[in-house]
Amino acid sequence: LLTAKDVDNDALSANKINNLKKMTGNDLLAAEQKNKNKRLYMRGVFNIIITGNGDLALQLGNSRDAFKRRMIWIDCKKPENFRRISGFDDLLIEEEGDGILAWAIEGACKLLAAGGIITKGDEQEMALEYLLGESEPIETFIKTCVSYAPDKSILTRDVVPAFLKFVNYVGWNNHAVV
């Protein structure tokens, strides 16, 4: 399990996404051993957890389907009535440490039994579609709201307001449409 904590919003931009794809797609990776002039090789079979404070701007290009298969998105928003509890991490370990460890081991056993594959439910699939749609808003708008009519045409002055209304309706951030 690899982690990337508190990443910038562009951590999944076009120029960085290919490395992530290699690390999760069973590609052969080359690494240099520290303080030695020696190359090591390993397979990219990692699970990766990425966290950040902002919304990640995805630029998946032609990797959309690959990331849909590999990705689980958990959107964590701070509740409106959030109240920080000082020393909460220590309190959790003290009071619930055994249960947390047992839960983690149970999850690891299930993951290993499933061959390292996490099964996604309908809710997770919908969340992923939302996230991936936000990463390609124009394509999603066209697939969702525009139909082919060979004897019809559409003007920019008509389609742009409809697109902006669509983006507002589905609740995507403004960065997705810029």
Side-chain angles (χ1 to χ4, degrees):
L1 177 65
L2 305 176
T3 61
K5 300 169 192 83
D6 200 19
V7 300
D8 292 332
N9 291 8
D10 71 344
L12 298 178
S13 63
N15 60 341
K16 299 174 185 174
I17 202 79
N18 284 333
N19 287 331
L20 188 62
K21 188 176 176 186
K22 290 176 186 177
M23 293 168 67
T24 60
N26 201 28
D27 290 19
L28 187 61
L29 306 172
E32 188 174 312
Q33 192 171 355
K34 193 167 184 156
N35 298 322
K36 296 187 179 180
N37 193 14
K38 184 178 177 184
R39 283 230 181 257
L40 304 172
Y41 295 91
M42 67 187 99
R43 287 275 167 203
V45 292
F46 301 103
N47 289 313
I48 302 173
I49 296 175
I50 301 171
T51 65
N53 289 326
D55 292 327
L56 291 175
L58 301 178
Q59 296 174 359
L60 302 177
N62 62 357
S63 299
R64 183 190 201 281
D65 290 340
F67 275 95
K68 185 175 181 192
R69 285 190 309 273
R70 297 176 183 153
M71 197 169 171
I72 294 177
W73 180 45
I74 302 171
D75 189 20
C76 300
K77 300 286 184 197
K78 188 186 309 182
E80 286 184 28
N81 59 352
F82 175 77
R83 182 178 56 90
R84 183 171 301 282
I85 300 172
S86 180
F88 186 64
D89 51 346
D90 293 330
L91 180 67
L92 272 178
I93 298 292
E94 181 182 320
E95 294 187 6
E96 303 293 341
D98 292 345
I100 293 169
L101 180 59
W103 176 69
I105 291 171
E106 178 185 347
C109 289
K110 287 180 180 179
L111 182 63
L112 290 171
I117 297 170
I118 299 172
T119 304
K120 295 177 221 156
D122 292 342
E123 188 175 325
Q124 182 55 228
E125 290 290 346
M126 287 177 21
L128 269 175
E129 276 303 323
Y130 178 86
L131 178 68
L132 295 171
E134 185 177 18
S135 75
E136 47 189 21
I138 294 170
E139 293 87 345
T140 302
F141 168 73
I142 290 169
K143 287 177 188 174
T144 306
C145 301
V146 178
S147 56
Y148 177 71
D151 56 335
K152 302 283 182 181
S153 62
I154 188 166
L155 300 173
T156 303
R157 71 171 183 244
D158 296 327
V159 77
V160 170
F163 170 71
L164 294 174
K165 185 176 180 181
F166 171 77
V167 167
N168 186 52
Y169 175 77
V170 295
W172 290 337
N173 292 321
N174 290 332
H175 79 267
V177 298
V178 175

